[in-house]
Amino acid sequence: MRRTASPFSLIVLGFGTFLLVLAPMLAWYVEPRAAVNPIDIDTTAVYKGTGSVFDTDKIATVPDQTITVTQRVRGNVAESEDSGNAVWDVITTVDTDKSLPAEDPHDALDYVPHRWVMDRESTRPVHCCEEKPYIEGEAYLKFPFDVQKRDYRWWDNTLRGVITMRYQDTKKIQGYTGYRFTATVPATKTGTRLVPGRLVGLEDTPQVLAEEWYANHGLELVVDQATGRVLYAQTGPRRTLRAPGADKDAAVLLDSRKIAFTTATQKEAVDQAEQDSGQLRLVGRTLPIGAGVIGFVLVVTGIVLVVRGRQRPGSSELPQPSLTM
């Protein structure tokens, strides 16, 4: 009589097959859908540095000032859910020790509110939901997921335009390795501002529409490869005023060689990057590999048990006695 396979062997074979099917699904289906930008973000980045700042009380540029840049990013959950995109409201303030602490960000030396809308998966800008300004490029505030060793088009909100962040090498921030990108911005006219003529050397003109110019001594961004989160940011802004049509700066509003993430901001960014990239690695690599290996072992074991369970006892059939005369 043939023996049938035991229920246990069939369970082993079925579970192993399930794990083999699950492994590619985790890597190719679940992991890409886990790599999405949040809609409920609430984070603050603080930059510190020194430089020259225009003092409105003294009507003059004052050197060697401590400069604090605070960037608050909060997700607008309601508009994000309505649009299907990530809608982030951003407030950037620039302060000196004179304007800190400020109960109201409007009291800062400079106050810039704006909104960034992006595709949750690709991080590319989406133009909707009262977005302001019209942001372009591949990245702003963060890079796309799965950052590559290539140049990226980065939105510079002061320039109101796109610059090229060039990949340089890797760099460790608080012991965590990221991709380093750098760029500079040549002096560029960004707009106009109504000011007293004497600020730009026109003593006989009460009011003049002065030209606003912006340059950057050097930007440096260190980015987490898996999530695109910025681990470290450094900027060297120079903002000036010129008389209409002039080719030289007449007044310096802000000039610093280096304003960079504080240590606390770096640590917070690294902690979040480790957590997020760890979750992506778990879903996209660790679990699929583990499921695949265990599934293969269980399938092989299940097949062996099934084959053995169906074999006939002994040598499959008893030998027939020979006939003799």
Side-chain angles (χ1 to χ4, degrees):
M1 299 289 292
R2 289 181 179 272
R3 289 187 294 173
T4 59
S6 69
F8 175 73
S9 62
L10 295 177
I11 291 173
V12 171
L13 179 60
F15 188 61
T17 303
F18 167 76
L19 290 179
L20 286 178
V21 173
L22 178 64
M25 287 185 63
L26 287 171
W28 301 333
Y29 183 83
V30 177
E31 192 269 345
R33 284 157 180 78
V36 294
N37 293 301
I39 62 175
D40 58 349
I41 187 172
D42 188 350
T43 184
T44 300
V46 180
Y47 301 67
K48 286 271 189 186
T50 58
S52 300
V53 176
F54 189 83
D55 190 315
T56 55
D57 294 332
K58 297 179 179 179
I59 316 297
T61 301
V62 181
D64 302 322
Q65 299 295 297
T66 299
I67 300 170
T68 301
V69 178
T70 306
Q71 192 172 65
R72 300 175 178 89
V73 183
R74 290 179 173 84
N76 190 313
V77 176
E79 295 212 26
S80 296
E81 291 177 341
D82 288 343
S83 67
N85 303 301
V87 181
W88 292 3
D89 291 320
V90 187
I91 294 177
T92 303
T93 57
V94 180
D95 289 281
T96 61
D97 289 343
K98 182 179 178 180
S99 60
L100 286 175
E103 294 183 2
D104 187 339
H106 291 83
D107 297 333
L109 181 69
D110 195 17
Y111 170 85
V112 182
H114 56 286
R115 169 171 286 186
W116 183 32
V117 185
M118 80 190 93
D119 181 274
R120 295 191 65 193
E121 295 181 5
S122 70
T123 313
R124 288 185 176 273
V126 176
H127 306 297
C128 74
C129 316
E130 300 181 4
E131 166 215 17
K132 185 179 181 181
Y134 190 92
I135 293 175
E136 298 178 284
E138 297 174 279
Y140 173 54
L141 299 182
K142 74 176 295 291
F143 278 58
F145 292 92
D146 189 24
V147 180
Q148 303 298 305
K149 294 180 178 180
R150 64 171 178 85
D151 299 343
Y152 281 84
R153 298 170 63 244
W154 174 268
W155 175 262
D156 186 320
N157 200 55
T158 304
L159 180 67
R160 290 294 197 273
V162 173
I163 62 175
T164 299
M165 298 297 301
R166 302 196 180 281
Y167 173 77
Q168 300 296 335
D169 50 25
T170 61
K171 183 176 181 178
K172 285 195 173 184
I173 302 298
Q174 303 298 322
Y176 187 85
T177 302
Y179 287 1
R180 186 172 75 96
F181 298 83
T182 62
T184 57
V185 180
T188 305
K189 181 181 175 181
T190 57
T192 56
R193 179 185 298 193
L194 189 64
V195 300
R198 63 192 180 95
L199 282 184
V200 292
L202 302 177
E203 302 292 340
D204 298 331
T205 306
Q207 298 285 321
V208 64
L209 203 60
E211 297 177 357
E212 291 184 294
W213 284 71
Y214 163 72
N216 203 300
H217 300 293
L219 291 107
E220 179 181 343
L221 301 173
V222 182
V223 182
D224 177 42
Q225 188 277 328
T227 65
R229 176 180 287 273
V230 176
L231 308 172
Y232 174 83
Q234 174 183 316
T235 182
R238 177 178 171 84
R239 295 171 55 191
T240 60
L241 294 177
R242 296 183 184 183
D247 57 3
K248 292 183 179 180
D249 298 329
V252 175
L253 302 178
L254 174 68
D255 189 18
S256 176
R257 287 281 176 178
K258 179 182 177 181
I259 304 175
F261 271 8
T262 63
T263 300
T265 296
Q266 293 175 40
K267 288 181 178 179
E268 182 180 349
V270 167
D271 288 346
Q272 192 63 55
E274 286 182 319
Q275 178 181 327
D276 293 345
S277 61
Q279 291 174 350
L280 291 177
R281 187 165 54 250
L282 178 67
V283 175
R285 185 181 307 171
T286 306
L287 288 180
I289 292 176
V293 171
I294 295 173
F296 176 77
V297 171
L298 290 178
V299 166
V300 172
T301 302
I303 291 174
V304 170
L305 291 175
V306 169
V307 170
R308 286 182 177 178
R310 289 181 176 176
Q311 284 183 342
R312 295 178 181 179
S315 59
S316 75
E317 287 192 13
L318 292 174
Q320 297 295 322
S322 58
L323 297 177
T324 58
M325 296 299 292

